[in-house]
């Protein structure tokens, strides 16, 4: 069990903050305090360069786009600018001297300045985002600035390909550092397995993360040769990519909302209880995380859980309370096959339809997502059957009694662990 500490929350309520998260935040706070103190004491070195990179980072934060629930909210231009400043050794052939602590100060100040409009709208970056930005930029600067300022890098590598390869290597290490930090904090908060969380973070590095790292290196190399005029030139491609990703995110959001609307059709028609599909989807995703699923697998699981009851729309007589778990097995399979046929006609990936179709099969014949949907759906049906406070406990007990044929024991126990930590928030991706 992850150790936790108690912190005072607003309105006088106590909440627990995992100790790994406290340790990471405290490290970032100490680094920030040291940076501010050093900058105030010694003054801002090379203010023109600091201002140029600060503006670039702030613009990147202003251009931040919204992410789907559970996903990292991206600001690639701001991240690339921050990494470029951390790895900047020269400006138009003249050696820079801003150092590690000033790097952290400028990056944090610019990030906060660019986040002000988002905060005013209630959609500002999270504290974890700021902490990771401080620590990853600090890591990159610590790896590069002291060695470069001492002259050892220029003596051994010069300004040729060796220097460029070193920057790329440092950026890869920095990206890995950020991925590990994100996975550690998410593991501490959710207690989901560390491996799948880290895989998700590493998978993100292969997409927009690779563009951020490459642009960060190009910025540092371009400014070293051409001066600050290189900043707008080298950032235009990433800015255009960011616009394209915003459109892509909008399409994904619309697609997700369409699936959610289809899932609510059974509730609107009176076939299932209010909120049943969303509860099953949230719990299924949390159980999937617990069992090691990640990335696209979790997306398929969530979509299938949202649409698992859509086959009931083909019934002449509604199932009482929509509780398919209480029906005979043959009737459950018929509804599942009807649902799969409907899902296939909606344009949803075939993998989603397959999970919907097979949710009523014996668990030994099912893929893991179908086992999860079946167990979580049965839990929600059985827990809602009783209005007493012991309803959830009785529902879990009935699931455990059915592990011989109907429900996979590992899935039921993972569900019990998720429930013991409290229900996941709507849309939570873990």
């Amino acid at each position: 069990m992850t150790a936790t500490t108690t912190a005072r929350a607003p309105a006088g309520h106590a909440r627990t903050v995992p100790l790994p998260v406290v340790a990471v935040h405290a490290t970032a706070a100490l680094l920030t305090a040291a940076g501010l103190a050093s900058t105030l004491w010694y003054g801002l070195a090379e203010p023109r360069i600091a201002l140029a990179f600060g503006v670039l980072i702030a613009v990147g934060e202003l251009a931040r786009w919204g992410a789907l629930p559970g996903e990292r909210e991206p600001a690639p231009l701001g991240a690339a600018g921050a990494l470029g400043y951390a790895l900047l050794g020269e400006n138009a052939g003249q050696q820079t001297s801003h150092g590690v602590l000033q790097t952290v100060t400028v990056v944090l100040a610019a990030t906060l300045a660019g986040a002000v409009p988002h905060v005013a709208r209630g959609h500002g970056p999270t504290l974890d985002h700021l902490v990771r930005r401080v620590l990853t930029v600090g890591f990159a600067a610590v790896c590069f600035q002291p060695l470069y300022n001492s002259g050892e890098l220029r003596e051994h590598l010069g300004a040729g390909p060796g220097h460029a390869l070193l920057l790329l290597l440092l950026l890869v290490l920095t990206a890995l550092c950020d991925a590990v930090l994100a996975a550690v904090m998410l593991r501490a908060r959710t207690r989901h397995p560390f491996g799948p969380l880290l895989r998700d973070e590493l998978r993100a590095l292969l997409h927009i993360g690779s563009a951020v790292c490459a642009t960060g290196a190009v910025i540092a190399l371009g400014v070293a040769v051409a001066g600050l005029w290189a900043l707008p030139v080298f950032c235009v491609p990433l800015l255009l990519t960011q616009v394209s990703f915003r459109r892509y995110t909008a399409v994904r959001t619309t697609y997700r909302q369409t699936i959610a609307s289809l899932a609510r059709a059974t509730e609107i028609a009176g076939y299932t209880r209010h909120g049943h599909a969303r509860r099953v989807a949230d719990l299924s995703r949390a159980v999937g995380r617990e069992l090691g699923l990640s990335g696209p697998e979790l997306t398929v699981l969530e979509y299938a859980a949202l649409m698992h009851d859509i086959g009931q729309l083909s019934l002449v007589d509604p199932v009482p309370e929509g509780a398919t778990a209480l029906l005979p097995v043959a009737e459950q399979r018929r509804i599942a096959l009807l649902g799969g046929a409907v899902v296939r006609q909606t344009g949803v990936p075939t993998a989603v339809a397959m999970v919907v179709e097979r949710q009523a099969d014996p668990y030994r014949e099912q893929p893991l997502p179908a086992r999860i949907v079946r167990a979580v759906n049965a839990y929600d049906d059985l827990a809602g059957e009783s209005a007493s406070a012991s309803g959830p406990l009785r529902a879990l007990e009935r699931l455990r009694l059915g592990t011989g044929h109907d429900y996979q024991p590992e899935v039921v126990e993972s569900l019990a662990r998720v429930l013991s930590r409290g229900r996941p928030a709507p849309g939570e991706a873990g």
Side-chain angles (χ1 to χ4, degrees):
M1 182 176 294
T2 304
T4 59
T5 185
T6 302
R8 182 64 57 186
H13 296 290
R15 62 184 180 88
T16 57
V17 180
L19 281 179
V21 175
V22 173
V24 172
H25 285 195
T27 303
L30 290 174
L31 183 58
T32 300
L36 289 172
S38 174
T39 304
L40 290 173
W41 182 263
Y42 294 107
L44 194 65
E46 299 155 337
R48 191 168 62 92
I49 299 175
L51 178 61
F53 275 90
V55 169
L56 174 64
I57 296 168
V59 169
E61 289 296 323
L62 285 171
R64 166 188 299 276
W65 71 79
L68 295 178
E71 294 184 348
R72 182 187 301 185
E73 192 175 5
L77 188 57
L83 291 175
Y85 189 53
L87 300 178
L88 183 66
E90 293 184 2
N91 173 35
Q94 299 296 319
Q95 184 177 350
T96 58
S97 59
H98 48 278
V100 175
L101 295 179
Q102 179 174 308
T103 298
V104 171
T105 303
V106 170
V107 167
L108 180 60
T111 301
L112 292 174
V116 169
H118 298 294
V119 172
R121 295 197 305 268
H123 300 290
T126 63
L127 181 58
D128 284 355
H129 166 80
L130 295 174
V131 165
R132 291 207 319 269
R133 174 67 63 83
V134 167
L135 292 179
T136 52
V137 168
F139 174 84
V142 166
C143 291
F144 177 79
Q145 294 288 342
L147 286 176
Y148 192 87
N149 292 337
S150 67
E152 293 185 15
L153 291 182
R154 285 171 293 171
E155 179 181 349
H156 293 89
L157 298 178
H163 181 71
L165 289 176
L166 176 66
L167 291 187
L168 288 176
L169 175 61
L170 290 179
L171 285 168
V172 170
L173 292 176
T174 302
L176 291 175
C177 173
D178 183 54
V180 171
L181 277 175
V184 165
M185 289 194 288
L186 200 52
R187 167 70 177 90
R189 292 187 186 281
T190 65
R191 302 183 194 172
H192 292 316
F194 179 77
L197 296 176
L198 182 59
R199 282 202 305 271
D200 281 349
E201 296 295 331
L202 294 177
R203 186 180 290 113
L205 295 180
L206 300 178
H207 302 291
I208 192 66
S210 59
V212 169
C213 289
T215 305
V218 167
I219 288 174
L221 292 172
V223 172
V225 175
L228 296 176
W229 289 107
L231 287 179
V233 174
F234 289 115
C235 288
V236 167
L238 189 58
L239 187 59
L240 294 176
T241 302
Q242 186 163 340
V243 172
S244 298
F245 265 86
R246 291 190 69 172
R247 293 176 180 174
Y248 171 69
T249 302
V251 171
R252 291 183 63 199
T253 302
T254 302
Y255 183 67
R256 188 187 184 98
Q257 291 171 346
T258 300
I259 291 178
S261 298
L262 287 172
R264 292 191 64 243
T266 55
E267 300 175 17
I268 296 172
Y271 281 81
T272 58
R273 292 179 293 121
H274 177 71
H276 171 72
R278 175 42 60 188
R279 289 193 300 272
V280 172
D282 292 337
L283 275 176
S284 293
R285 192 168 180 114
V287 172
R289 278 285 194 197
E290 190 77 16
L291 291 170
L293 299 184
S294 62
E297 297 171 316
L298 286 175
T299 300
V300 168
L301 174 61
E302 181 182 7
Y303 289 170
L306 282 170
M307 304 180 76
H308 76 279
D309 268 335
I310 203 167
Q312 294 197 43
L313 294 176
S314 302
L315 302 179
V316 176
D317 298 319
V319 177
E321 298 293 327
T324 53
L326 305 177
L327 295 176
V329 173
E331 185 65 11
Q332 291 183 34
R333 290 180 179 173
R334 186 174 78 89
I335 294 174
L337 291 174
L338 289 171
V342 172
V343 172
R344 289 182 187 277
Q345 297 176 18
T346 63
V348 173
T350 304
V352 177
M354 186 180 299
V355 173
V356 174
E357 288 172 344
R358 302 189 62 183
Q359 62 178 304
D361 294 347
Y363 80 79
R364 292 180 178 85
E365 303 173 10
Q366 293 175 312
L368 180 56
R371 298 177 185 183
I372 295 172
V373 171
R374 179 173 188 176
V376 174
N377 172 61
Y379 168 79
D380 196 73
D381 285 344
L382 295 172
E385 184 185 20
S386 173
S388 65
S390 61
L393 293 177
R394 291 181 180 178
L396 270 178
E397 186 61 29
R398 291 177 67 174
L399 260 60
R400 288 190 171 108
L401 293 175
T403 53
H405 181 268
D406 295 326
Y407 312 110
Q408 184 181 16
E410 292 82 1
V411 172
V412 174
E413 293 311 311
S414 295
L415 173 61
R417 288 194 296 272
V418 169
L419 292 170
S420 70
R421 299 195 292 265
R423 281 181 174 269
E428 178 184 329

